[in-house]
Amino acid sequence: MQTSQNISQNPLISFIITDYNIPGKMLEECLQSIFSLSLSPSEIEVILVDDGSDISPLTTMEALIAHRNEVVYIRQKNQGLSVARNIGLKMANGKYIQFVDGDDYLLRAPYEHCLDIVRYHNPDIVLFDETSKPQPEIPFAFEGPLTGTAYLHNHNMKAATWGYIFKKDILGKLRFTPNLLHEDEEFTPQLILRAEKLYKAEAKAYFYRMRKDSLTNTPDPTMKEKRLNDTMQIIAHLQELSERLPSSERIALERRVHQLSMDLLYNTIKETHSATQLEHTIANLRGRDLFPLPDKKYSKKYNTFRKMVNSRLGRRILLIGIR
């Protein structure tokens, strides 16, 4: 493990790994998946940000990374995922950035397909898919180039920040908002709008683990309430941002705002099973002219849910049916 001064100042890609009390075996698998890629030491930078784990991962990882000049280890007091990612971005020297959660890993062959797009097409963003199967099929196809605005116009976006490689130059001053759950829902659509050359790879390149003890799956009612409140905050911010954009970009971002509004209503039902809470959420959305959900042909799921949640009878059915 070395400081950033020992690393090539012009790596092709910086991998920003975030860790908080992740089992050592998982974190080792994550690192090994990066080290196995067809990237030379001068092309790679690994920034491991430990967000105040109870025990430093160096106790088990030191032998793995001790002689790798391409690795930076940063330990901070626990401040949350957004702050950890922002620190990684501040330290990154790579032309491109890839976020990786420390309990997940990259799948070599499909990820190499994404790297080929980076090498030969000079994109701003390469999107790809996740999987929970260790050996997915590897189609060698992709869509693009197209602008980020065009992509948001015509696709249901996935917000997870580990689902794409992006050129650091397009970031500008964009960063993650501290103490915000689902911070990628706010970050990713803004990043995509900045892309002039976006490619969508038909590759399941990221192995995603759904852990029972993860923040997403916590049974803590306080965290569930915060997750819903933070989603409303993100919706409000993106809506306000869209109102300042040119027409085409505004319409593209509005699609994401409407889909997040649908998600908020669905999750309010799923997390609370409360008609009172659902009506409270509806009142908040109505106050921003986001309810009733607009009649848009975004997807079959959106269209079906919109028709039900926009009526009182439909809401009663949803409260019974969604568990």
Side-chain angles (χ1 to χ4, degrees), residues 4 33 41-42 70 77 91 100-101 133 190 245 270:
S4 61
S33 74
S42 65
E70 66 269 34
K77 66 178 182 179
M91 296 294 295
V100 188
D101 289 349
K133 297 179 179 179
Q190 295 182 75
L245 294 174
K270 184 178 180 180

Side-chain angles (χ1 to χ4, degrees), residues 54-175:
D54 296 336
I55 300 174
S56 169
L58 285 188
T59 58
T60 57
M61 294 293 105
E62 189 169 7
L64 177 63
I65 66 177
H67 302 293
R68 289 187 174 272
N69 290 336
E70 66 269 34
V71 178
V72 177
Y73 172 73
I74 302 167
R75 182 170 170 83
Q76 64 175 29
K77 66 178 182 179
N78 182 246
Q79 298 180 72
L81 184 56
S82 291
V83 174
R85 285 175 170 166
N86 286 341
I87 287 176
L89 287 173
K90 183 178 180 180
M91 296 294 295
N93 297 299
K95 180 178 179 181
Y96 288 90
I97 304 289
Q98 172 69 65
F99 288 107
V100 188
D101 289 349
D103 50 352
D104 302 327
Y105 60 89
L106 303 175
L107 291 158
R108 180 173 180 175
Y111 194 80
E112 293 283 1
H113 174 45
C114 301
L115 286 178
D116 283 344
I117 298 173
V118 167
R119 290 180 177 115
Y120 299 115
H121 297 278
N122 191 34
D124 291 323
I125 296 180
V126 179
L127 303 172
F128 50 82
D129 295 320
E130 81 284 355
T131 183
S132 295
K133 297 179 179 179
Q135 294 182 328
E137 295 181 4
I138 310 167
F140 292 96
F142 57 84
E143 176 187 4
L146 61 161
T147 66
T149 300
Y151 182 82
L152 286 180
H153 263 294
N154 299 300
H155 295 80
N156 296 324
M157 185 202 79
K158 292 182 180 180
T161 52
W162 39 253
Y164 49 82
I165 309 168
F166 69 95
K167 189 178 288 184
K168 187 182 179 185
D169 284 352
I170 71 171
L171 261 179
K173 295 182 179 179
L174 179 62
R175 295 296 184 271

